[in-house]
Amino acid sequence: MPTQAQMKAALQSYVDGFANGDPEAVIALFAEDAVVEDPVGTPEKRGAEVAEFYRNAVGSGAKISLDTPIRGSHGSSAAMAFTVEMPGMQISVIDVFTFNEAGKVTSMRAYWGSEDFTQS
Amino acid sequence: MPTQAQMKAALQSYVDGFANGDPEAVIALFAEDAVVEDPVGTPEKRGAEVAEFYRNAVGSGAKISLDTPIRGSHGSSAAMAFTVEMPGMQISVIDVFTFNEAGKVTSMRAYWGSEDFTQS
């Protein structure tokens, strides 16, 4: 099981990948069979769909700023609350990640609804 | 499916139940067969264990302050990041809730690790 520090470092790398406009750094955090549900309540993405999703998301110029420190767990999960900044708009999100023994992300589920947008 | 507003109101009632020292108000938010995993990575609590857990937690005098607005989803889930305030100590937590058609909570999973404590 990855340590708390390893999981939190992975989530920080996810934030940094957006900041640096580097989708491959984000994609590299995920296991090959990882599942992404973003937002929760929509169909899951897998495999090549995950890579495409992050190339589009990072390529859009979206940036992530943490609202509060990253949380761990007593298992192989970690979570973070953040704001996605896009031109003229922000989305308030909470992401939950699970990890495998190798420290790769096996699932990411993003909690945000149609009412979690604000315009700037 | 409950609306975003209904789910967010339930999470606010959860916060308020701690503020008011009213465990029964918190317990009333849950379906009879609800599962609580707090923290994630420890055994799930069900039924009478859930009620006992909240009577103890609220009875301890712990208070919850939201770190950032409650998030909804595109399904029947909502999440919130908050700080639990206890005498001399704080815990940084993210809770994820799922709801049934009747608007009752069917699961609550709390993400916090042994390194998410701070002393005051």
Side-chain angles (χ1 to χ4, degrees), chain A residues 8 40 67 71-72 74 116, chain B residues 8 40 67 71-72 74 116:
Chain A
K8 290 182 179 182
V40 167
D67 291 341
R71 273 63 157 165
H74 285 60
D116 295 326
Chain B
K8 290 183 179 182
V40 168
D67 290 343
R71 273 64 157 164
H74 285 59
D116 295 325

Side-chain angles (χ1 to χ4, degrees), chain B residues 6-26:
Chain B
Q6 287 169 336
M7 293 192 295
K8 290 183 179 182
L11 270 59
Q12 185 62 54
S13 293
Y14 184 100
V15 173
D16 294 344
F18 278 81
N20 298 332
D22 184 356
E24 303 312 317
V26 174

Side-chain angles (χ1 to χ4, degrees), chain A residues 4-5 8 39-42 67-68 70-75 77-82 92-94 96 111-116, chain B residues 4-5 8 39-42 67-68 70-75 77-82 92-94 96 111-116:
Chain A
Q4 299 292 303
K8 290 182 179 182
V40 167
T42 62
D67 291 341
T68 175
I70 296 167
R71 273 63 157 165
S73 70
H74 285 60
S77 301
M80 61 180 175
F82 59 87
S92 296
V93 182
I94 285 177
V96 175
Y111 296 85
W112 59 275
S114 55
E115 299 170 22
D116 295 326
Chain B
Q4 300 292 302
K8 290 183 179 182
V40 168
T42 61
D67 290 343
T68 174
I70 296 167
R71 273 64 157 164
S73 70
H74 285 59
S77 301
M80 60 179 176
F82 59 87
S92 296
V93 182
I94 285 176
V96 174
Y111 296 84
W112 59 275
S114 55
E115 298 169 22
D116 295 325

Side-chain angles (χ1 to χ4, degrees), chain A residues 32-102:
Chain A
E32 277 192 22
D33 57 351
V35 170
V36 168
E37 186 183 5
D38 187 348
V40 167
T42 62
E44 295 179 338
K45 303 165 194 39
R46 292 171 187 273
E49 295 170 323
V50 171
E52 183 187 7
F53 174 71
Y54 284 112
R55 286 186 189 118
N56 287 338
V58 176
S60 76
K63 304 298 178 193
I64 290 174
S65 60
L66 288 170
D67 291 341
T68 175
I70 296 167
R71 273 63 157 165
S73 70
H74 285 60
S76 53
S77 301
M80 61 180 175
F82 59 87
T83 301
V84 180
E85 306 275 355
M86 292 176 291
M89 189 165 55
Q90 295 87 40
I91 318 175
S92 296
V93 182
I94 285 177
D95 277 1
V96 175
F97 295 76
T98 61
F99 291 82
N100 64 16
E101 293 291 328

Side-chain angles (χ1 to χ4, degrees), chain B residues 14-53:
Chain B
Y14 184 100
V15 173
D16 294 344
F18 278 81
N20 298 332
D22 184 356
E24 303 312 317
V26 174
I27 295 163
L29 300 170
F30 286 81
E32 277 192 20
D33 58 351
V35 171
V36 168
E37 186 183 4
D38 187 347
V40 168
T42 61
E44 294 178 339
K45 303 164 191 50
R46 292 172 187 271
E49 295 170 323
V50 171
E52 183 186 7
F53 174 71

